[in-house]
Amino acid sequence: LSELNPNINFIGIDSFFNNYNLDIEYPVIDVKYLNSDILTFTQPLTEDKFCKSNEEVLIIEKFIKCNSDKKIIIKLHPRDIMSNYRYLLKYNVIFLPEDYRNIPYQVMHASIRPKNIVSFFSSILFSVPSLTNNFQRVSLINSIGNTNIKKVVHQMGKYFGDLKILDTESSKL
C-alpha cells in the first residue's frame, strides 16, 4: 500500500492480537452460527454504484451454488435489504439474524470462528485475525468491473498471504 500512499503503514493484525491479552466480552452467539465453512458478507454495491441491477447478489448466488456442499452463513451489510437476498434461502444458507446486523463483525469473529470469510472488498477481509490453521480470506472482487477497486484489493492481498482472490467461475473452496 505504501506504493499507493507513502503515509500508510502496515501492521499485521495477527501479531497485534498475539502480543496482547485483550479482556474482551464477546456477544453470545447461537450455536447454529458457529464454525461455518463459509461466512459471506454482503455489500450494497448496486446502491454504491459499483454494480448494476443487484449484480453482487447474482455473483454471491453463483458462489453459493459452487459451494453447496458447505455450511454457508450470510451476514447482511447494515445497508443491504433482505428482500434482495431472500431467494438465496433455497440453497440452504443461513442468514445471521437481524439482531446481529448492526454489530460489527470484528466483535463477533472470535465467537463465530468460520473457516473462510468471503466478500468483495469489505474491510472484514483485512481486519480480523486468523484464528484457525485453515482460515482463509476470500475476495470475489474479480467478478465486478471496477478496476480501481480491483487494484486496491490485489495490492492489499499482498499483505495477507491467506487472501484468495477468486473468479466466480472458479469459486469452489
Side-chain angles (χ1 to χ4, degrees):
L1 287 179
S2 58
E3 296 167 11
L4 298 174
N5 183 338
N7 296 321
I8 296 176
N9 293 322
F10 177 74
I11 299 172
I13 195 157
D14 290 340
S15 63
F16 174 82
F17 279 100
N18 290 335
N19 291 329
Y20 294 94
N21 183 9
L22 303 175
D23 188 21
I24 298 172
E25 190 172 315
Y26 296 103
V28 176
I29 306 293
D30 189 310
V31 71
K32 70 181 174 186
Y33 305 116
L34 305 181
N35 302 309
S36 65
D37 295 312
I38 300 169
L39 181 56
T40 303
F41 297 88
T42 69
Q43 293 178 260
L45 301 180
T46 297
E47 181 181 321
D48 293 342
K49 311 268 188 278
F50 289 111
C51 290
K52 295 179 183 171
S53 304
N54 292 321
E55 178 185 15
E56 68 272 29
V57 181
L58 299 174
I59 293 167
I60 290 173
E61 179 182 23
K62 288 178 184 177
F63 178 80
I64 290 169
K65 284 180 182 178
C66 289
N67 293 282
S68 61
D69 59 327
K70 309 255 191 282
K71 177 181 177 184
I72 300 175
I73 295 176
I74 298 175
K75 182 178 187 307
L76 288 181
H77 186 279
R79 290 187 293 119
D80 260 325
I81 302 166
M82 179 61 179
S83 61
N84 290 343
Y85 293 88
R86 190 173 314 280
Y87 79 96
L88 297 177
L89 287 168
K90 70 183 178 185
Y91 298 108
N92 204 27
V93 298
I94 301 169
F95 283 87
L96 281 177
E98 187 75 25
D99 300 355
Y100 300 140
R101 188 120 172 236
N102 291 317
I103 298 174
Y105 176 72
Q106 291 87 337
V107 176
M108 299 186 289
H109 182 64
S111 298
I112 293 180
R113 302 182 75 85
K115 292 179 185 139
N116 302 282
I117 56 174
V118 176
S119 187
F120 291 94
F121 56 89
S122 171
S123 63
I124 295 299
L125 293 174
F126 311 107
S127 63
V128 296
S130 301
L131 297 175
T132 60
N133 290 337
N134 60 348
F135 179 76
Q136 277 191 194
R137 305 160 201 277
V138 179
S139 173
L140 299 174
I141 192 64
N142 283 343
S143 300
I144 65 171
N146 189 304
T147 56
N148 289 331
I149 296 294
K150 284 181 186 180
K151 285 179 187 176
V152 170
V153 172
H154 283 269
Q155 188 67 29
M156 290 288 292
K158 293 178 183 177
Y159 297 102
F160 290 87
D162 58 356
L163 179 66
K164 196 173 191 177
I165 301 175
L166 299 178
D167 293 318
T168 304
E169 294 74 28
S170 61
S171 56
K172 178 81 173 146
L173 290 184

